Amino acid sequence: MGELKTVLIPDIGDFSDVPVVEVFVQNGNHVNAEDPLIALESDKATIDIPAPFTGKIREIRVKPGDKVSEGSPIAIIEIADSGGNTDTESVLRKPDSTEKNKRSEEATSEKAPQVITHAAQTESNENVIKAEVKQIYPASPPIQPAPADVAATKAHAGPSVRRFARELGVNLDLIIGSGPKHRILKEDVQAFVKAGLSRVCVNGKSAPVETGLNLLPWPQVDFARHGPVEIKSLSRIKQIAGANLHRNWVMIPHVTQFDEADITDLEALRKESNTAEKQNAVKLTLLSFLMKALIASLKKFPEFNASLDKNANGETNLIIKRYYHIGFAVDTVNGLVVPVIRDVDQKGVVAIARELSELSALARENKLKPEQMQGAGFTISSLGGIGGTAFTPIINAPEVAILGVSKANYKPVYRDGEFVPRLVLPLSLSYDHRVIDGAAAARFTSHLAEVLTDMRLALL
Ligand code: COA
């Protein structure tokens, strides 16, 4: 075993009882002279205390939150390549004036501890990560901004962490620190970089791939400077729905397939059924027929009634649902809600229409229970009663597809050598391209259009 030496807080000017905000090392770590050991943060400055010599950390004497002054012991380091005896006595002694003197003597033979505020550090094991990053991103670092931007960040981090981040090109604003008061630690920067590296292996080779959205900050505009404004808070539903929509929009690679269904005969049947059904006080809406037709397509193309799932080994599987619970978007004064009709495959159009009407009423009165909004395998968003020709609905995760329906209109359709007026329903199917191919989506909407054109197909 090499010689053990205590590292003490050096002269840090007028500061005393300064809180330790970060400990960079652990027992057993190898440190090079001038690697930072701890960071202190006073009202005025953040100070890194470096190792005075190269060796192995044998004991750490401080933890975040402790207060230290000049002479306080920080750690015990076993000096590298020292053949000398262990001087435990002197090591464990409390620092006093003799110790201070001894320290100044040591300073002549060893490298004296220096206080680094924004000064440079020498090489350390950080180089492993830096080298990895350089190898994978030879030209431009993945997690950008220019050094000036990094330095200008208001992120809560000490100088050594800022420097480390600057060297790696990491924008500290993108990291939420795990230290006290979300202070960003070196490990947070390492974890951020590692997370980026783990996503860039293509066919066993490193590839320069963007790892974050790397967006510009949101524009800060004082709108009142341009004219009168009114501030209105978002409803709770809008806030919750908005967060979900945002995540789904960002995380799912959406593609939207557009199609049209000739529903002339279906509309005639619906109108006729409504006349006969009036005594039951249930209006058969297009949406109830649409749900029935949809089940036929979902049964033919099961991957549309599915969810992606990661198992314990990190493998991604597709969970195909053998139940048919369909969500439908309802427009309420407070925002969008999605009640769910369960086991649609086991219900007739009248029962579906009844549930549609009851659940939409509950949604508009803000009285839906959580279980009435859960378990959907597929969602329909119908804007047909309002208008529009097409739109791109956002998938309701963890589902993999959503059907948007716009307003049916009469169109001239070429048939048997002449144009005839037909009622045409626009369909917009957004799907998760990780699960569904474009060809499958086109087959799905074609099939759905066929069923809507001839609802007898729904019985097969
Ligand atoms: N094309 C033409 N007309 C349509 C239609 C379509 N695709 N869909 C409905 N209509 C007609 C209906 O036939 C009805 O007319 P009628 O009274 O003459 O029969 C009228 O529009 C109103 O229908 P509505 O009461 O809205 O019933 P619905 O079953 O079609 O829709 C809801 C029920 C709950 C889906 C609907 O009221 C709703 O809230 N839609 C908005 C959904 C939404 O906001 N989606 C956006 C998510 S991003």
Side-chain angles (χ1 to χ4, degrees):
M1 195 181 200
E3 185 184 354
L4 299 179
K5 286 204 172 180
T6 303
V7 182
L8 308 172
I9 297 284
D11 180 358
I12 48 174
D14 294 337
F15 299 112
S16 64
D17 286 335
V18 187
V20 174
V21 286
E22 200 173 338
V23 177
F24 301 119
V25 288
Q26 293 177 341
N27 275 343
N29 280 170
H30 171 85
V31 287
N32 290 320
E34 294 188 25
D35 279 354
L37 297 176
I38 62 171
L40 312 178
E41 193 169 73
S42 76
D43 296 346
K44 295 177 188 137
T46 305
I47 304 164
D48 278 5
I49 305 295
F53 25 69
T54 299
K56 192 181 251 185
I57 303 288
R58 283 295 172 203
E59 192 181 328
I60 297 169
R61 291 287 192 85
V62 287
K63 57 183 184 317
D66 286 355
K67 292 192 171 161
V68 292
S69 306
E70 183 182 347
S72 305
I74 307 170
I76 297 174
I77 295 182
E78 181 187 342
I79 308 246
D81 302 318
S82 161
N85 292 329
T86 310
D87 183 5
T88 345
E89 276 271 308
S90 67
V91 169
L92 296 176
R93 248 188 303 128
K94 280 226 161 103
D96 52 17
S97 53
T98 337
E99 181 72 42
K100 264 195 193 171
N101 293 341
K102 187 168 173 244
R103 214 158 41 79
S104 49
E105 279 163 27
E106 276 170 357
T108 56
S109 55
E110 303 274 358
K111 222 171 188 176
Q114 291 165 9
V115 178
I116 299 180
T117 50
H118 291 266
Q121 294 160 222
T122 54
E123 292 205 320
S124 69
N125 53 5
E126 292 160 8
N127 289 344
V128 177
I129 287 198
K130 289 174 194 164
E132 257 183 308
V133 173
K134 278 198 180 123
Q135 192 189 341
I136 293 172
Y137 306 104
S140 58
I143 321 157
Q144 300 185 29
D149 296 336
V150 177
T153 178
K154 290 201 174 95
H156 185 29
S160 65
V161 173
R162 283 172 186 279
R163 182 171 179 272
F164 185 46
R166 196 163 43 241
E167 287 179 7
L168 295 179
V170 170
N171 181 356
L172 288 176
D173 287 333
L174 299 176
I175 301 177
I176 297 170
S178 61
K181 294 186 190 160
H182 296 301
R183 184 183 168 79
I184 301 169
L185 313 179
K186 196 174 94 183
E187 296 85 75
D188 297 324
V189 178
Q190 286 171 326
F192 184 81
V193 172
K194 276 182 187 160
L197 295 179
S198 67
R199 274 183 260 135
V200 296
C201 200
V202 179
N203 295 333
K205 287 182 186 161
S206 301
V209 176
E210 283 286 345
T211 54
L213 284 177
N214 199 22
L215 302 173
L216 291 173
W218 195 257
Q220 298 294 318
V221 179
D222 178 6
F223 301 103
R225 280 182 54 220
H226 304 289
V229 293
E230 181 194 335
I231 296 175
K232 201 175 160 194
S233 58
L234 285 182
S235 70
R236 219 181 117 260
I237 289 180
K238 274 216 160 127
Q239 291 189 30
I240 295 170
N244 279 287
L245 289 166
H246 192 184
R247 178 203 53 206
N248 300 346
W249 177 246
V250 166
M251 292 185 71
I252 303 173
H254 282 71
V255 180
T256 305
Q257 168 74 20
F258 301 105
D259 212 332
E260 292 180 330
D262 179 341
I263 58 161
T264 317
D265 296 344
L266 173 58
E267 184 60 5
L269 170 70
R270 190 183 77 86
K271 282 193 169 146
E272 198 184 312
S273 310
N274 274 337
T275 320
E277 289 288 333
K278 258 183 186 159
Q279 62 216 36
N280 297 327
V282 183
K283 183 177 155 195
L284 299 188
T285 65
L286 180 61
L287 193 53
S288 42
F289 287 97
L290 199 57
M291 284 212 180
K292 203 66 206 163
L294 177 69
I295 300 304
S297 297
L298 290 178
K299 284 189 172 168
K300 192 167 166 71
F301 301 95
E303 73 269 29
F304 287 78
N305 187 31
S307 287
L308 283 173
D309 182 64
K310 247 192 188 142
N311 69 14
N313 301 327
E315 296 154 351
T316 305
N317 293 316
L318 192 62
I319 298 190
I320 308 239
K321 292 152 200 175
R322 297 297 179 196
Y323 52 80
Y324 298 89
H325 305 335
I326 307 296
F328 64 103
V330 179
D331 175 39
T332 77
V333 284
N334 292 321
L336 185 70
V337 279
V338 185
V340 178
I341 303 189
R342 299 177 81 81
D343 301 313
V344 175
D345 58 315
Q346 294 165 34
K347 292 173 180 162
V349 174
V350 177
I352 297 169
R354 187 175 294 118
E355 267 197 70
L356 265 172
S357 141
E358 287 166 2
L359 288 170
S360 337
L362 287 174
R364 293 197 166 112
E365 291 159 23
N366 206 8
K367 285 188 183 159
L368 282 173
K369 295 187 187 121
E371 60 269 24
Q372 290 172 310
M373 293 184 279
Q374 288 166 358
F378 189 99
T379 295
I380 299 180
S381 175
S382 172
L383 290 173
I386 304 168
T389 53
F391 65 109
T392 54
I394 297 178
I395 297 163
N396 200 9
E399 294 157 34
V400 294
I402 181 169
L403 180 69
V405 183
S406 298
K407 190 174 175 63
N409 272 310
Y410 278 96
K411 283 188 175 181
V413 174
Y414 195 68
R415 202 185 242 198
D416 301 328
E418 58 175 344
F419 282 103
V420 288
R422 303 295 293 179
L423 186 62
V424 175
L425 178 73
L427 304 172
S428 309
L429 176 86
S430 291
Y431 58 91
D432 184 336
H433 211 344
R434 294 172 299 178
V435 177
I436 294 160
D437 295 332
R443 286 189 192 105
F444 183 89
T445 54
S446 297
H447 181 264
L448 181 60
E450 276 172 33
V451 179
L452 287 166
T453 301
D454 183 356
M455 281 298 286
R456 289 175 303 179
L457 296 174
L459 303 172
L460 300 177

